[in-house]
Amino acid sequence: DVKVTQSSRYLVKRTGEKVFLECVQDMDHENMFWYRQDPGLGLRLIYFSYDVKMKEKGDIPEGYSVSREKKERFSLILESASTNQTSMYLCASRAPNYEQYFGPGTRLTVT
Amino acid sequence: AQSVTQLDSHVSVSEGTPVLLRCNYSSSYSPSLFWYVQHPNKGLQLLLKYTSAATLVKGINGFEAEFKKSETSFHLTKPSAHMSDAAEYFCVVRGLGGGFKTIFGAGTRLFVKA
């Protein structure tokens, strides 16, 4: 079974803090994604990566950056957390048949 | 450009009755379409996918969906709802611009009454 793990299920941070969200997959997938999920908006793509050190902006990249130093690990970074970044963050890894496998999510609260 | 619209934000059914979750898509190309389910406090799980083979697609847990090109629809159905089906369901179209973008619908929350 494909496994996608995220470093934290719940996280509380203060405004202005730098926040790291980690995602690890164990199936050697090249493509990995970070989404945020908000009620009524579905999932919105923040960034994706199609190979080590390769990244592309998604639909809402502002205020975020990413890092992919190793194939299995894709990190999302909030440079200076703000209250409007309070959300559920989902990481996904994509197989060659385009099926995406999701981690359990990180619920981030910024106070 | 691709887009996907889930026509109902909430659907409520009684246990044992049929489920219908509606999805319409817009795509300039023959799309790949997916349904995902998200149970409370869990990540998303693939229910089924359409990739230009049979138009009636069977998925896990008794769900199926029919691709209707003339109606640009990909509605999700199940003959008999179970309490464990209560969850949020997402219709998804795979974007063809560069092959990377995947567009999610806003989601439909399914409630199942005993």
Side-chain angles (χ1 to χ4, degrees):
Chain A
D1 275 355
V2 177
K3 186 172 281 186
V4 179
T5 57
Q6 294 183 229
S7 51
S8 305
R9 292 298 303 272
Y10 301 93
L11 212 50
V12 180
K13 294 291 182 181
R14 294 191 182 278
T15 302
E17 279 193 84
K18 191 169 186 176
V19 182
F20 293 87
L21 303 182
E22 300 271 315
C23 175
V24 177
Q25 52 100 357
D26 66 357
M27 280 301 291
D28 204 38
H29 291 163
E30 293 182 347
N31 301 145
M32 295 184 73
F33 302 79
W34 273 106
Y35 298 90
R36 64 176 282 176
Q37 182 181 15
D38 300 287
L41 297 177
L43 274 69
R44 292 180 291 167
L45 181 64
I46 304 172
Y47 266 96
F48 62 91
S49 169
Y50 49 92
D51 204 346
V52 175
K53 296 189 187 293
M54 307 300 284
K55 60 188 179 185
E56 289 285 342
K57 293 179 180 179
D59 298 316
I60 50 165
E62 296 79 19
Y64 303 94
S65 62
V66 290
S67 172
R68 185 122 182 247
E69 296 297 320
K70 293 185 178 181
K71 195 172 188 179
E72 67 271 17
R73 188 181 298 270
F74 190 35
S75 303
L76 180 70
I77 303 153
L78 286 65
E79 298 291 343
S80 177
S82 63
T83 54
N84 64 11
Q85 291 179 310
T86 292
S87 186
M88 170 71 88
Y89 290 87
L90 291 168
C91 174
S93 167
R94 193 174 77 179
N97 66 357
Y98 294 99
E99 179 176 339
Q100 292 194 48
Y101 296 85
F102 285 83
T106 296
R107 186 167 294 281
L108 173 68
T109 302
V110 182
T111 62
Chain B
Q2 288 81 30
S3 66
V4 60
T5 303
Q6 292 183 243
L7 299 168
D8 307 291
S9 59
H10 298 85
V11 170
S12 182
V13 301
S14 296
E15 192 174 22
T17 64
V19 176
L20 171 64
L21 305 183
R22 298 183 294 165
C23 173
N24 285 106
Y25 69 91
S26 170
S27 177
S28 303
Y29 307 89
S30 293
S32 294
L33 294 159
F34 307 79
W35 275 98
Y36 284 83
V37 61
Q38 184 181 33
H39 287 94
N41 299 314
K42 297 276 182 72
L44 278 71
Q45 179 187 17
L46 181 69
L47 270 180
L48 50 80
K49 62 183 177 185
Y50 166 78
T51 54
S52 75
T55 56
L56 182 63
V57 182
K58 293 189 185 298
I60 62 172
N61 301 335
F63 283 93
E64 60 183 39
E66 186 171 8
F67 173 69
K68 291 187 176 180
K69 188 175 181 179
S70 60
E71 299 176 10
T72 61
S73 69
F74 190 57
H75 300 336
L76 181 70
T77 60
K78 183 173 180 177
S80 176
H82 191 273
M83 296 296 288
S84 61
D85 295 327
E88 188 152 22
Y89 293 80
F90 293 93
C91 182
V92 180
V93 61
R94 180 174 72 84
L96 290 170
F100 292 109
K101 289 193 69 174
T102 304
I103 299 164
F104 284 76
T108 298
R109 186 164 292 280
L110 176 65
F111 296 94
V112 182
K113 299 174 289 188

